Amino acid sequence: MFAVQRFTRAARQFTRDFNPHGRREHVPRSFVGPFMRPIIAMGAATVGCWCMWYYTKSARAKEALERPDARFVLYQYSNCPFCSKVRAYLHSCGEEFQIVEVNPVTKKETKAISDYKKVPLLVADGIQLKESTLITSILHTHFTQGTPISEVIEWYPAVSQGIEDTNKVHIKSTEKEELVTVTDKIYGVYCNLYTAWHSYKKGKEEITYPNKYRVMGYDEDAHDLMLNEAKWRRWIDTHFVHLISPNVYRTWKEALTAFDYFTTNGNFSDFEKSYIRYVGAGAMYMIGKRLRKRHNLDRDVRIELYSGLNNWLRSMKGKKFQGGDQPNLADIEMYGMCSAFYGMPCWEDAIQNTKIEKWYNRMERHLQKKSAIGLTSANPTLQAVPTQNDTMSA
């Protein structure tokens, strides 16, 4: 309130004028006096309050910007499905790792170390790894083969898919012809600007990793198992992940519940929690509707979720895991996807209408035994389950 009063007083001084006799008085009939003075006052007060809030927020985030010193550092959103995949695999490795919760609004944590604007971002042995599926493949190859990560990443080259653009303007000239006249130079600049704008409208360059579903160094005897694992890892990325958002944000009430969940466990300030809770829930509710149409899902998205989970369970053919007696990468990544909406209304509906809970609990007990830092401490949205043996098949 003190800051608002100071800025209001400054705005009043700004809108005063001097008459020819030297007396200072208001400008009564001008547009500046009655209309602009309150606008200037409110604008100055808003800018000042925002600056003070930003300064305190920067001071609060200073500690998070310090570069962690662990071997594996995961920059994540706690409830992001792709981040959950990587986090689940790090638990399964039995390696210690550090988690840095990224603020989704400012993203200061990742900006301090990289220009990459997405999560998950894993810093492994000082090397930045991107793309959740690619990260798990690189790490699994590293641990099974013992090859340094700096060498493993060379086995997963990036391939540019380019930009589909058939309407570019080209200058008709021979290879040796030069643009010497002013008209030609202006036309050349126009062509470059048009091409850049059209490319921007068509989309950015797409980068893919053809080997990202493969783990290098498999024995020939395990070739069929590798193909089956890669098949279901691809299914998780291309189908199952698209079922999550439309179900989590199916209704306005469920979207609000989800954001209560997210803001409680995410890296948000008090101001951001109250703002994002409603604005974010409304936006994701609309986005969920669009995603349902984009991926041609049934109008009742719960049916699609049950179908996906049942398809996953049937593929195990009575086994404990997709990998048999022990989980494989497909199991770990599917668990990560499910943990992203664990505790949500859609998860409660799923365990009532499918048998996914038994498999999920087996996976959680397996990761609790493997994890070097504790499963619940790494993801506060997860809760511990009983540790008794579960011999029932899904």
Side-chain angles (χ1 to χ4, degrees):
M1 182 61 66
F2 175 74
V4 174
Q5 293 176 352
R6 291 292 301 271
F7 284 114
T8 303
R9 190 179 301 114
R12 289 175 179 174
Q13 296 294 334
F14 178 76
T15 55
R16 293 177 183 272
D17 196 4
F18 291 94
N19 63 14
H21 301 288
R23 292 179 301 174
R24 189 173 64 182
E25 59 184 20
H26 293 287
V27 183
R29 296 183 180 179
S30 67
F31 178 78
V32 174
F35 295 104
M36 291 300 293
R37 184 158 51 244
I39 294 176
I40 294 173
M42 292 301 298
T46 302
V47 172
C49 292
W50 182 86
C51 291
M52 288 186 291
W53 168 80
Y54 186 81
Y55 174 78
T56 57
K57 182 175 179 61
S58 299
R60 182 177 61 85
K62 183 178 180 180
E63 181 179 355
L65 292 178
E66 295 179 358
R67 197 180 293 257
D69 54 359
R71 183 189 178 194
F72 298 103
V73 182
L74 175 62
Y75 293 82
Q76 64 154 25
Y77 303 148
S78 61
N79 292 93
C80 168
F82 301 104
C83 298
S84 298
K85 284 170 54 178
V86 178
R87 188 173 59 240
Y89 180 79
L90 290 171
H91 283 304
S92 70
C93 295
E95 294 282 338
E96 292 188 358
F97 65 98
Q98 185 172 350
I99 289 178
V100 177
E101 191 69 20
V102 178
N103 185 301
V105 179
T106 61
K107 299 181 180 178
K108 287 181 175 294
E109 294 77 10
T110 54
K111 287 180 180 178
I113 63 169
S114 174
D115 293 332
Y116 188 63
K117 299 180 180 180
K118 299 179 181 180
V119 290
L121 175 64
L122 179 70
V123 180
D125 294 339
I127 302 173
Q128 296 181 12
L129 303 179
K130 310 165 187 177
E131 298 272 350
S132 60
T133 303
L134 181 66
I135 292 173
T136 56
S137 294
I138 290 176
L139 291 182
H140 199 61
T141 301
H142 163 69
F143 286 119
T144 55
Q145 299 300 312
T147 308
I149 294 178
S150 58
E151 296 182 17
V152 173
I153 58 177
E154 297 179 0
W155 302 344
Y156 295 88
V159 176
S160 174
Q161 297 286 61
I163 304 173
E164 183 183 358
D165 189 354
T166 58
N167 297 317
K168 292 182 179 179
V169 177
H170 298 280
I171 302 175
K172 297 180 180 179
S173 61
T174 61
E175 295 182 359
K176 296 182 179 181
E177 183 179 359
E178 297 181 358
L179 302 177
V180 292
T181 65
V182 176
T183 304
D184 288 340
K185 291 182 179 179
I186 294 176
Y187 182 67
V189 172
Y190 162 75
C191 291
N192 292 333
L193 292 175
Y194 181 88
T195 300
W197 170 249
H198 191 69
S199 299
Y200 170 78
K201 296 291 288 184
K202 295 292 288 187
K204 296 182 179 179
E205 184 180 19
E206 182 180 359
I207 303 296
T208 61
Y209 300 88
N211 296 335
K212 70 178 181 179
Y213 293 105
R214 298 187 58 187
V215 176
M216 305 302 177
Y218 266 111
D219 296 333
E220 293 184 1
D221 297 337
H223 181 69
D224 292 338
L225 295 177
M226 183 270 293
L227 292 179
N228 183 69
E229 179 185 78
K231 168 189 171 183
W232 286 103
R233 293 179 70 195
R234 188 184 300 273
W235 176 84
I236 292 169
D237 282 353
T238 59
H239 178 71
F240 186 77
V241 70
H242 300 312
L243 306 180
I244 297 178
S245 291
N247 276 279
V248 171
Y249 310 108
R250 183 182 62 159
T251 64
W252 164 250
K253 183 179 179 180
E254 291 181 5
L256 202 59
T257 302
F259 268 82
D260 282 338
Y261 214 62
F262 297 161
T263 54
T264 300
N265 299 291
N267 182 9
F268 296 96
S269 66
D270 294 337
F271 172 79
E272 290 169 345
K273 286 181 180 180
S274 59
Y275 178 78
I276 292 176
R277 182 174 183 267
Y278 295 99
V279 176
M284 292 307 300
Y285 170 72
M286 300 302 298
I287 292 175
K289 298 296 184 184
R290 294 185 60 184
L291 291 175
R292 179 185 66 80
K293 295 179 180 179
R294 177 184 299 178
H295 300 293
N296 298 319
L297 302 180
D298 191 273
R299 191 172 186 85
D300 187 354
V301 291
R302 284 290 196 271
I303 295 178
E304 295 280 0
L305 180 62
Y306 304 154
S307 176
L309 293 174
N310 286 327
N311 189 20
W312 169 260
L313 294 174
R314 283 194 300 268
S315 68
M316 291 189 289
K317 300 178 181 179
K319 297 179 291 186
K320 289 184 177 181
F321 304 103
Q322 187 71 236
D325 293 334
Q326 295 295 323
N328 61 9
L329 283 183
D331 284 294
I332 295 171
E333 292 182 352
M334 183 65 174
Y335 168 83
M337 287 288 176
C338 291
S339 68
F341 61 96
Y342 179 88
M344 305 288 178
C346 57
W347 175 257
E348 299 300 326
D349 291 344
I351 62 178
Q352 294 295 328
N353 293 274
T354 69
K355 297 181 180 180
I356 192 64
E357 187 177 24
K358 296 177 181 178
W359 169 85
Y360 185 89
N361 288 345
R362 283 197 295 269
M363 282 297 306
E364 188 160 74
R365 286 193 291 272
H366 173 80
L367 294 181
Q368 283 176 338
K369 294 177 182 178
K370 292 285 187 179
S371 178
I373 67 173
L375 187 62
T376 54
S377 65
N379 185 0
T381 63
L382 295 181
Q383 299 178 0
V385 295
T387 58
Q388 67 268 22
N389 294 329
D390 182 10
T391 58
M392 300 179 59
S393 61

